[in-house]
Amino acid sequence: MDAKYTRNQKIDNYLAKATIIVNIILMVSKMLAAYLSNSLSVISSVVDSAMDLTSGAIIWFTIKAIEKTDKYKYPIGKNR
């Protein structure tokens, strides 16, 4: 069971990093489009991408905090 749990953590970590990278690329491209077009709708899309990036960072930091959990101190996890 531990090997499967570790594999799932690795997959989660990979997906969280991939999400952050994709969101950074999208935000930069939308910033360029907003600069070139001076469109308020594109600027609002940049703000939306910034929020997506923030939520992705929160998920990544949460995954890192879960990985650092001491299994002996919290034998059943932090579910309580």
Side-chain angles (χ1 to χ4, degrees):
M1 176 124 177
D2 267 344
K4 182 179 180 183
Y5 186 69
T6 304
R7 191 177 96 225
N8 286 340
Q9 282 181 332
K10 288 180 183 179
I11 292 170
D12 291 345
N13 193 12
Y14 173 76
L15 290 175
K17 285 180 183 179
T19 301
I20 290 172
I21 291 169
V22 168
N23 282 328
I24 288 172
I25 292 169
L26 280 172
M27 193 169 102
V28 169
S29 63
K30 287 178 183 181
M31 288 172 76
L32 179 64
Y35 176 75
L36 294 175
S37 69
N38 291 326
S39 170
L40 288 177
S41 65
V42 178
I43 293 171
S44 70
S45 181
V46 171
V47 173
D48 183 49
S49 290
M51 292 299 122
D52 288 342
L53 185 60
T54 303
S55 65
I58 290 170
I59 291 170
W60 185 70
F61 284 122
T62 303
I63 290 171
K64 286 297 182 184
I66 290 170
E67 287 176 356
K68 293 180 182 179
T69 302
D70 185 10
K71 292 180 183 179
Y72 298 107
K73 188 173 182 182
Y74 300 103
I76 61 167
K78 296 182 180 179
N79 293 330
R80 287 188 189 184

